[in-house]
Amino acid sequence: MPRTAGERRDLDREFSPSSLVDDLGAHFDRYAADSARARATLTVHRDLSCGPLPEQTLDYFPAADAGAPLLVFVHGGYWQELSKSEAAFAARDFVAAGIAFAALGYGLAPAHSMRQITAAAGESLRRVCTGLGELPGAPGAVHLAGHSAGAHLVASALLDSGGWERVGTTASAAVSSATLISGVYDLELLRHTYVNDALGMDAGEARECSPMRRLPGAGGLLPETGGPLPGAEPGGLDLPPLVVARGENETSEFARQQREFVRRARLGGAEVTDLVVRGRHHFDLPFDLGVTASELGAVVRRVICSRGPVRGGSGWGGGQSGSGGRGGAGTLES
């Protein structure tokens, strides 16, 4: 925990990925522009409800063939900015490859607490995973991906064993793979930074909402207390294959969090691909998600194809336009 103003500034900088980027606005503009292009050129079913809150919606871009895989993407923005409207930038690449795509929305701080955001996002993802037959084209398998805060939310949902029990399944049975990009997995240090001004987390909430704390440490003990970690015995994790990725040009704290998350997940028996992409940073790496010519996109494609056939695609990463039709809003029931 920071003891001086200088230590606080250092910690703020470690949790500020924009401190290493000169053109942050240009990347945000591209998220929005590429997402708008996808909505204009592909068939899209907007604002499908996947929970009781008005923010629990998704924009769904079906693939040409019924039974295609589905990639659900959860956006970043430190749980307090951006939306699904800026999260469909990879839709054209995936649909061109014969894979359906969905951009998930969720409530933001300060209107929602971290507990509420994490719980609602998890509920939405479980509802999508258990309601594939209700989506147009009835996708045959679901793959999750999240960036930054979205990676935290995907990891939290996967590790919520009680949530999966409530819907009668497990994470590994319901999810074919998950890709976590530039995530924050332990919130304790973050709550001492500028990011927490909007979130308002105390120590208990930060601990409860940290997916890292649900993973085994050395010997299955919490390093912070030496006490047992409930539900996280070594070798006992129930997770699909994971791709955990970050850009080479990220702060040392983002690098440390990825290393520790990967170490603990593997200790729990998870199959993890650990990826550090040269020449990329926190904000441009997500653009590679659906581009097979990129390091990240090639890994994601390999993992998706290894979990089942992908049919009907005209290519991968080609940015092909769809029919341009637009579906209406609806509801996804669990």
Side-chain angles (χ1 to χ4, degrees):
M1 291 183 290
R3 292 186 294 268
T4 67
E7 289 176 341
R8 166 66 186 255
R9 285 193 298 272
D10 290 344
L11 196 58
D12 280 349
R13 185 166 53 251
E14 283 297 316
F15 280 98
S16 177
S18 61
S19 65
L20 300 179
V21 177
D22 294 330
D23 53 349
L24 176 61
H27 294 294
F28 281 11
D29 289 346
R30 184 179 167 193
Y31 293 158
D34 287 3
S35 297
R37 187 181 181 203
R39 289 189 294 271
T41 57
L42 298 174
T43 297
V44 57
H45 301 266
R46 300 196 66 179
D47 300 318
L48 295 178
S49 175
C50 49
L53 299 177
E55 297 89 354
Q56 287 180 273
T57 60
L58 77 160
D59 291 348
Y60 171 69
F61 301 80
D65 287 355
L70 167 66
L71 189 288
V72 180
F73 181 75
V74 185
H75 69 85
Y78 262 154
W79 308 275
Q80 54 196 279
E81 58 183 330
L82 299 180
S83 71
K84 66 181 176 62
S85 292
E86 295 85 33
F89 49 82
R92 286 164 58 86
D93 293 330
F94 281 100
V95 171
I99 298 170
F101 182 92
L104 189 79
Y106 56 91
L108 303 178
H112 300 268
S113 71
M114 180 62 78
R115 281 193 183 95
Q116 292 169 330
I117 295 169
T118 302
E123 178 185 36
S124 294
L125 290 171
R126 288 189 294 273
R127 185 166 291 198
V128 172
C129 290
T130 58
L132 294 179
E134 300 165 28
L135 289 169
V142 63
H143 301 262
L144 305 181
H147 171 232
S148 195
H152 160 271
L153 294 174
V154 170
S156 296
L158 290 173
L159 289 161
D160 182 3
S161 57
W164 294 108
E165 289 174 7
R166 287 193 296 274
V167 296
T169 188
T170 64
S172 64
V175 181
S176 291
S177 76
T179 299
L180 310 176
I181 304 171
S182 301
V184 177
Y185 308 108
D186 191 331
L187 306 181
E188 171 54 31
L189 284 177
L190 181 138
R191 78 179 182 91
H192 301 284
T193 72
Y194 73 98
V195 180
N196 202 37
D197 292 347
L199 297 169
M201 291 184 294
D202 61 18
E205 186 174 30
R207 182 168 53 250
E208 178 185 328
C209 296
S210 292
M212 190 91 79
R213 307 299 180 98
R214 295 178 178 265
L215 298 174
L221 301 179
L222 272 172
E224 296 82 0
T225 65
L229 188 61
E233 294 302 319
L237 294 178
D238 180 80
L239 291 172
L242 302 178
V243 177
V244 185
R246 66 170 176 87
E248 175 187 30
N249 302 316
E250 303 222 29
T251 70
S252 60
E253 178 60 20
F254 276 86
R256 184 194 70 81
Q257 292 232 359
Q258 175 158 321
R259 286 194 304 271
E260 186 64 9
F261 185 88
V262 168
R263 183 186 73 82
R264 293 198 191 190
R266 285 174 171 167
L267 183 62
E271 176 189 335
V272 184
T273 300
D274 183 14
L275 195 61
V276 179
V277 182
R278 289 177 296 176
R280 288 303 199 191
H281 56 66
H282 189 91
F283 300 100
D284 62 2
L285 182 57
F287 292 118
D288 291 348
L289 185 62
V291 180
T292 195
S294 71
E295 188 175 0
L296 174 62
V299 170
V300 171
R301 180 184 185 184
R302 173 173 53 80
V303 170
I304 291 177
C305 291
S306 74
R307 306 294 285 180
V310 178
R311 302 179 300 274
S314 59
W316 182 279
Q320 300 297 314
S321 296
S323 65
R326 181 154 305 190
T331 300
L332 186 66
E333 299 294 346
S334 59

